[in-house]
């Protein structure tokens, strides 16, 4: 099983033949700093960016496993690849050629979605027109050594009459079904405000509809409220809670802004609850503190955290003005409520570019937790990829964070972390035992103890401090 935390060797990025930094200085906010480690885009190093295969409208999505950034490049003919970049430096790596049943994997947008499940399994999924509701959706596991694809499940993810094009999907849990259940969701980009979902119980290899046995659910409510379709390139994102079961999820569409929904499809919050910056058309007076997306445009949202601070990042807009293809980064409360948003930064400050991506809309935003440094300060990486515009990595950190002082994983050889039922145990008395969920949020802690109780079944990162030294382990509580 892959480690959730990166090793302490992930330091400041060195320049490569392609990657540079955005050259911007960002003010510290709420005790946090943000630094661009590297970027490859149309504003800062356009000539080098345009030489890359990802400067292509068929390179839609990106994801990282904590070491490599993968960008899916679909080819209707020829060879579909996952373009690869070193997460630490931005260095271009050898592409991974994808194969299905021993043959080159090709097709229209056949690798439209690339992502990682909660157990580090890399997957791809193709675009599906689904104009009749009589087909099925596919997700493939990717062998990162050979590029071979394996269809997930022994049956298909049937639409059963649900109609609506699927551009992108999101996965929660374990696609192999071994460590936990798994749920795949996708928002319809045409026809209606519908979300699709399939679930695979732990120990099973068969998909079933996630909504009381059905694979689709009408959602109620949008922001703005008068929308009847999510439209182009709509994005659905799970709220991760340590399980593979259907829970809350975000939807961001071309004609809608980010909104949060419950498993019954009811809207429970939306970006309109934030103190958005607006200008009155009659008076010209501007009010608000949180940037609004620049009109109907790009689709992307992600939950992150750094130390005790929760963060939401969302896409700035499509390409109507200078400084676009950016991520708006906000601080939020412990429940990630939209109404609590405080603007931190918009990155890159000078944007990726104002180049049209031909209407693909999707904006990939992902957080990756780093290990604490020797002083216990936290940091998180933000990966941002906007199709046809650029790819960059930023480090958000508590002020004073020292990457060279970071602690390596499992530095205390004689301190072992084990699980028995819902009890997480350390082999020696620990000054502190801290338990984090997969979103990087602390969910339990015990001091001067040998064990702590996990709040629920799921995947956790446990940090145990013994004799002043720290051991970090990833555990599964069943």
């Amino acid at each position: 099983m892959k480690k959730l935390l990166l090793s302490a060797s992930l330091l400041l990025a060195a320049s490569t033949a392609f990657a540079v930094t955005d050259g911007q200085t960002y003010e510290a906010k709420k005790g946090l700093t943000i630094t661009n480690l590297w970027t490859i885009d149309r504003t800062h190093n356009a000539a080098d960016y345009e030489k890359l295969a990802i400067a292509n409208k068929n390179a839609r999505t990106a994801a990282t496993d904590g070491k490599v950034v993968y960008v899916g490049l679909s080819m209707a003919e020829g060879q579909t690849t996952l373009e690869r970049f070193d997460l630490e430096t931005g260095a271009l790596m050898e592409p991974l050629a994808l194969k299905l049943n021993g043959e080159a994997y090709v097709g229209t947008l056949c690798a439209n979605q690339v992502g990682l499940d909660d157990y580090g399994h890399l997957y791809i999924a193709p675009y599906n027109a689904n104009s009749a509701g009589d087909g099925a959706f596919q997700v493939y596991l990717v062998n990162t050594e050979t590029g071979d694809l394996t269809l997930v499940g022994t049956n298909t993810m049937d639409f059963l009459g649900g109609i609506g094009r699927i551009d992108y999907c999101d996965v929660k849990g374990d696609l192999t079904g071994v460590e936990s259940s798994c749920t795949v969701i996708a928002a319809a980009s045409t026809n209606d405000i519908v979300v699709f979902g399939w679930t695979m119980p732990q120990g099973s290899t068969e998909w079933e509809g996630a909504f009381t046995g059905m694979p689709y659910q009408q959602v109620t409510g949008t922001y703005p409220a008068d929308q009847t379709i999510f439209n182009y390139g709509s994005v659905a994102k799970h709220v991760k809670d340590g399980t593979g079961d259907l829970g809350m999820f975000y939807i961001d569409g071309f004609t809608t802004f980010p909104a949060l929904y419950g498993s019954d499809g009811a809207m429970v919050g939306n970006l309109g609850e934030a103190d958005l910056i607006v200008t009155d058309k009659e008076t010209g007076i501007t009010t608000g503190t949180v940037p609004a997306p620049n009109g109907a445009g790009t689709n992307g949202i992600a939950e992150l955290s750094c130390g005790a601070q929760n963060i939401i990042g969302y896409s700035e807009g499509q390409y109507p003005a200078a400084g676009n293809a950016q991520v708006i980064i906000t601080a939020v409360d412990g429940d990630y409520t939209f109404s609590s948003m405080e603007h931190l930064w918009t990155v890159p400050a000078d944007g990726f570019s104002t180049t049209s991506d031909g209407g693909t809309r999707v904006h990939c935003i992902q957080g990756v937790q780093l290990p604490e440094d020797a002083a216990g300060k936290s940091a998180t990486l933000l990966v941002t990829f906007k199709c046809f515009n650029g790819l960059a990595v930023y480090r958000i950190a508590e002020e004073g964070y020292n990457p060279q002082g970071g602690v390596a994983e499992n530095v205390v050889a004689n301190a072992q972390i084990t699980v028995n039922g819902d009890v997480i145990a350390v082999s020696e008395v620990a000054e502190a035992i801290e338990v984090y969920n997969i979103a990087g949020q602390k969910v339990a802690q015990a001091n001067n103890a040998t064990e702590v109780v996990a709040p629920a079944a799921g995947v956790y990162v446990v940090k145990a401090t013994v004799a002043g030294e720290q051991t970090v382990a990833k555990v599964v509580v069943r």
Side-chain angles (χ1 to χ4, degrees):
M1 185 181 299
K2 296 186 178 181
K3 299 288 185 182
L4 177 66
L5 295 177
L6 302 183
S7 70
S9 64
L10 187 55
L11 308 178
L12 283 173
S15 295
T16 71
F18 294 104
V20 298
T21 65
D22 69 10
Q24 304 293 308
T25 300
Y26 299 91
E27 180 183 355
K29 301 282 187 70
K30 295 184 72 67
L32 301 177
T33 64
I34 188 167
T35 305
N36 178 231
L37 298 188
W38 58 267
T39 186
I40 306 170
D41 63 64
R42 294 188 183 276
T43 293
H44 303 98
N45 47 352
D48 285 333
Y49 169 80
E50 290 172 0
K51 296 175 185 176
L52 299 175
I54 66 169
N56 187 305
K57 294 175 185 177
N58 287 335
R60 300 289 178 89
T61 57
T64 182
D65 60 3
K67 295 180 180 179
V68 177
V69 179
Y70 297 90
V71 181
L73 178 60
S74 295
M75 300 297 290
E77 298 178 356
Q79 182 67 64
T80 292
T81 60
L82 293 184
E83 300 299 307
R84 298 188 287 187
F85 299 83
D86 185 276
L87 177 63
E88 179 179 350
T89 66
L92 181 64
M93 303 169 66
E94 187 74 18
L96 183 66
L98 299 183
K99 301 184 290 292
L100 181 62
N101 300 322
E103 303 292 334
Y105 179 63
V106 296
T108 301
L109 302 179
C110 58
N112 212 33
Q113 177 71 59
V114 58
L116 279 295
D117 71 8
D118 297 332
Y119 290 79
H121 301 121
L122 183 66
Y123 69 87
I124 63 153
Y127 154 91
N128 194 307
N130 188 31
S131 59
D134 56 357
F137 189 59
Q138 301 85 29
V139 173
Y140 296 93
L141 288 172
V142 182
N143 184 315
T144 57
E145 298 295 328
T146 66
D148 289 313
L149 303 179
T150 303
L151 184 65
V152 179
T154 51
N155 65 333
T156 57
M157 288 186 273
D158 296 327
F159 289 114
L160 298 181
I163 299 174
R165 189 184 79 208
I166 291 181
D167 291 298
Y168 312 107
C169 69
D170 193 33
V171 172
K172 179 184 179 189
D174 180 9
L175 280 168
T176 70
V178 174
E179 301 288 356
S180 78
S181 58
C182 181
T183 302
V184 176
I185 58 170
S189 293
T190 56
N191 296 85
D192 211 342
I193 50 172
V194 169
V195 62
F196 294 97
W198 298 268
T199 188
M200 179 189 296
Q202 184 178 3
S204 174
T205 59
E206 294 192 357
W207 294 107
E208 54 192 58
F211 303 99
T212 318
M214 292 300 291
Y216 55 91
Q217 170 73 56
Q218 184 86 29
V219 303
T220 54
T222 61
Y223 174 66
D226 59 352
Q227 299 304 297
T228 58
I229 186 172
F230 292 123
N231 218 316
Y232 306 113
S234 56
V235 169
K237 290 289 285 289
H238 286 288
V239 172
K240 300 301 181 72
D241 58 7
T243 76
D245 302 328
L246 178 68
M248 301 180 76
F249 51 87
Y250 295 96
I251 296 180
D252 186 12
F254 173 55
T255 54
T256 65
F257 297 106
L260 181 65
Y261 296 88
S263 59
D264 60 354
M267 186 173 68
V268 296
N270 62 71
L271 187 61
E273 298 166 8
D275 184 25
L276 296 177
I277 297 172
V278 296
T279 301
D280 187 279
K281 293 182 179 179
E282 293 184 2
T283 66
I285 296 175
T286 299
T287 58
T289 59
V290 178
N294 200 338
T298 50
N299 312 327
I301 185 168
E303 292 186 354
L304 302 85
S305 67
C306 183
Q309 182 60 64
N310 291 331
I311 295 168
I312 286 180
Y314 56 94
S315 187
E316 171 269 346
Q318 191 55 3
Y319 32 72
N324 93 341
Q326 298 163 299
V327 178
I328 297 169
I329 302 171
T330 64
V332 291
D333 62 15
D335 294 323
Y336 287 88
T337 57
F338 289 104
S339 60
S340 68
M341 282 182 163
E342 298 179 55
H343 181 230
L344 298 178
W345 312 281
T346 300
V347 298
D350 52 352
F352 274 157
S353 120
T354 56
T355 302
S356 170
D357 61 9
T360 57
R361 313 303 188 208
V362 66
H363 191 155
C364 295
I365 307 167
Q366 181 184 352
V368 181
Q369 186 183 357
L370 290 172
E372 293 180 348
D373 68 7
K377 293 185 179 295
S378 299
T380 297
L381 295 185
L382 171 74
V383 180
T384 168
F385 174 66
K386 178 62 185 69
C387 172
F388 209 53
N389 282 267
L391 170 67
V393 174
Y394 288 81
R395 186 182 64 219
I396 301 171
E398 294 182 291
E399 286 189 276
Y401 176 80
N402 179 7
Q404 295 187 11
V407 290
E409 296 174 2
N410 302 320
V411 294
V412 185
N414 60 350
Q416 302 297 318
I417 298 174
T418 58
V419 177
N420 183 11
D422 62 352
V423 176
I424 299 170
V426 181
S427 59
E428 301 182 25
V429 176
E431 294 98 274
I433 308 172
E434 299 172 288
V435 182
Y436 295 82
N437 64 17
I438 56 177
Q441 302 161 311
K442 186 186 293 185
V443 295
Q445 180 170 342
N447 298 323
N448 299 315
T450 59
E451 60 185 38
V452 63
V453 176
V459 183
Y460 298 98
V461 173
V462 181
K463 301 178 183 178
T465 303
V466 177
E469 301 289 347
Q470 192 175 70
T471 298
V472 180
K474 184 177 180 181
V475 302
V476 179
V477 175
R478 297 185 172 87

